[in-house]
Amino acid sequence: MNLLAPQSLADITARLQGYDPQAISAEAVLRILGEWVTPLQQTETLPLMQALGRVLAQGITSPISVPPHDNSAMDGFAFHGSALHADAPTRLQVVGTAFAGKAWQGQATASQCVKIMTGAVMPAGLDTVVPLELVQTDGDSITLPARAVKPGDNRRLAGEDLMQGQQALQKGDLLTPAALGLVASLGIAQVQVVRRLKVAFFSTGDEILSLGETPREGAVYDSNRYTLYGLLTRLGCEPIDMGVVPDEPVQLEAAFLQAASQADAIITSGGVSMGEADHTRAMMARLGQADGITPPAGSGMAFWRIAMRPGRPMAAGRIFSSTAGVTKSAFLFGLPGNPVAVMVTFLAFVRPALLQMMGSTSTAPPLLKATSMQALRKKPGRTEYQRGIVSTATNGDLQVRITGNQGSGVLRSMVQANGLVVLHHNQGNVAAGDAVDVMVFDGVI
């Protein structure tokens, strides 16, 4: 990874009016991270079927027109639109059949038509297609009812989708299933994409149990690594699971250095609050100054108390590791320990930052408007992310209700929810029937 980040967190926050790391808004965190993280520069060329979910490293210009010729949009009969009678049936003689994949070579006059299949090239001079089900057949003739079609109906024009030389996809576009189909329609078999982002992640804390360990008083099983693994995999990253690291400085340092040596980004859960046992915070601060290394540009660590719920404590910075004279670094995102807070801070802040690192030009989570089905209490001065269930009202509009208990440890509520109701920083109480913003989960969680 390129160590020369264009600017440090300190440089960015110095320009932020009213910056207070102990009471920073969610909007300010997004703005800071958006200026701070740098996209990967390394690319690779992949066969199209292996490129799903990857980000284009260069735009794609269409080498052909799509479709390459005028063709029929349905099974029917092709004819001259000028033959139509305004208020009377039109009778035409059938003089041939045009099949998809093989152009019909004959000529048809204004009183004639050609039976045509969906996708078949429009015969020369013919510009209109009437569906099979709208005509009456009598031997080798058909009759169209008056006003059954208009001239030009049911014909796909050459280049209607893309003209040769037109930009089909932009650098930074995500290769969705639809995008794969679009590229394939151009006859392109390989694409250049940004290499896969490597993200190391681990949980911290003496109270965290790995699966398979015997339960003990005061301990809880680790769920955060599993949700982070799923979120990173869905995002198209290469996840590097580093397990559970206890609150022990030597082991924490080894974990951070190992992660920085092999990953582009590191995500931790737990250890970023002000607790006496939270060695993670102190270790982040020390390694963020490039312990034993001349600090490259962009070093340093920020610890925030974000004006949000759930969440609040979060760290961001860069961790440095040096082996055999080679210095490497990774962007670090230190998240709180509560399961729901981990998921919310990931969706709100980390996911957009990782997408930017991946080279994506679309990083902001989309927000939809929905009608709140209930009153919601909200204090201005913080952003709240309430778990919601979005549905369709009888009038077709979106509506949303919250899942109930909004405690940051109630992980079950994230399973029940299909989106987050986003109540913005300056927003107050919401009345039933008010419109609210919703961040939907589909394809994300």
Side-chain angles (χ1 to χ4, degrees), residues 32 45 57 84 101 104 107 131 141 170 237 252 294 343 354 414:
I32 292 168
T45 300
L84 288 169
W104 186 71
Q107 292 288 329
S141 297
Q170 305 284 338
C237 300
L252 281 169
T294 301
M343 298 184 79
L354 295 181
M414 289 296 279

Side-chain angles (χ1 to χ4, degrees), residues 203-204 207-208 220-225 227-228 268-273 310-313 335-346 387 406-411 414:
S203 299
T204 66
E207 78 281 11
I208 306 299
V220 295
Y221 282 109
D222 182 20
S223 65
N224 291 339
R225 280 171 42 236
T227 53
L228 285 172
T268 66
S269 62
V272 292
S273 66
R312 294 193 73 187
L335 306 184
N338 284 323
V340 175
V342 166
M343 298 184 79
V344 169
T345 51
F346 181 95
R387 283 134 274 174
Q406 296 293 298
S408 60
V410 185
L411 186 55
M414 289 296 279

Side-chain angles (χ1 to χ4, degrees), residues 30-347:
L30 273 173
R31 192 180 320 140
I32 292 168
L33 295 180
E35 290 187 43
W36 176 57
V37 299
T38 53
L40 297 179
Q41 299 301 314
Q42 300 93 333
T43 65
E44 57 184 334
T45 300
L46 294 178
L48 191 55
M49 280 199 173
Q50 295 179 23
L52 179 65
R54 304 295 289 274
V55 175
L56 276 177
Q58 62 179 21
I60 294 177
T61 300
S62 180
I64 60 174
S65 292
V66 182
H69 42 65
D70 289 7
N71 67 91
S72 176
M74 58 184 58
D75 294 342
F77 295 89
F79 62 98
H80 291 270
S82 60
L84 288 169
H85 302 301
D87 297 309
T90 301
R91 185 175 178 85
L92 301 168
Q93 180 186 10
V94 182
V95 294
T97 301
F99 295 96
K102 185 179 181 181
W104 186 71
Q105 300 299 324
Q107 292 288 329
T109 66
S111 63
Q112 296 174 330
C113 66
V114 175
K115 189 174 184 180
I116 193 167
M117 307 304 163
T118 303
V121 177
M122 290 290 289
L126 307 189
D127 59 8
T128 307
V129 176
V130 60
L132 286 172
E133 61 271 17
L134 295 186
V135 305
Q136 291 182 343
T137 303
D138 181 14
D140 62 355
S141 297
I142 62 168
T143 301
L144 290 66
R147 295 180 294 279
V149 291
K150 300 187 297 295
D153 276 0
N154 306 314
R155 175 184 55 156
R156 302 188 186 116
L157 299 176
E160 183 175 278
D161 190 355
L162 282 168
M163 292 297 293
Q164 184 177 9
Q166 184 180 348
Q167 192 82 7
L169 292 170
Q170 305 284 338
K171 177 182 177 180
D173 282 350
L174 188 67
L175 286 167
T176 61
L180 293 187
L182 176 61
V183 176
S185 75
L186 306 179
I188 297 173
Q190 295 182 322
V191 287
Q192 187 177 359
V193 298
V194 179
R195 74 159 170 83
R196 197 179 295 279
L197 188 71
K198 298 179 180 180
V199 183
F201 61 102
F202 57 89
S203 299
T204 66
D206 293 334
E207 78 281 11
I208 306 299
L209 294 173
S210 294
L211 297 185
E213 289 189 293
T214 303
R216 65 176 186 272
E217 186 177 5
V220 295
Y221 282 109
D222 182 20
S223 65
N224 291 339
R225 280 171 42 236
Y226 295 88
T227 53
L228 285 172
Y229 172 81
L231 289 163
L232 292 169
T233 301
R234 275 281 180 93
L235 194 56
C237 300
E238 180 182 327
I240 304 172
D241 178 19
M242 299 185 64
V244 176
V245 181
D247 283 320
E248 201 284 317
V250 173
Q251 293 188 54
L252 281 169
E253 180 170 6
F256 277 120
L257 293 177
Q258 180 185 348
S261 70
Q262 64 187 60
D264 305 297
I266 306 168
I267 302 175
T268 66
S269 62
V272 292
S273 66
M274 297 296 290
E276 291 182 5
D278 288 335
H279 302 294
T280 309
R281 180 183 169 114
M283 190 64 60
M284 288 176 178
R286 186 163 66 82
L287 296 177
Q289 293 300 322
D291 187 45
I293 307 167
T294 301
S299 61
M301 191 73 55
F303 296 95
W304 295 317
R305 290 181 68 82
I306 306 171
M308 66 180 294
R309 180 182 179 188
R312 294 193 73 187
M314 180 177 171
R318 295 174 74 203
I319 296 292
F320 298 87
S321 174
S322 183
T323 305
V326 177
T327 300
K328 295 183 178 180
S329 77
F331 289 98
L332 169 69
F333 304 95
L335 306 184
N338 284 323
V340 175
V342 166
M343 298 184 79
V344 169
T345 51
F346 181 95
L347 293 173

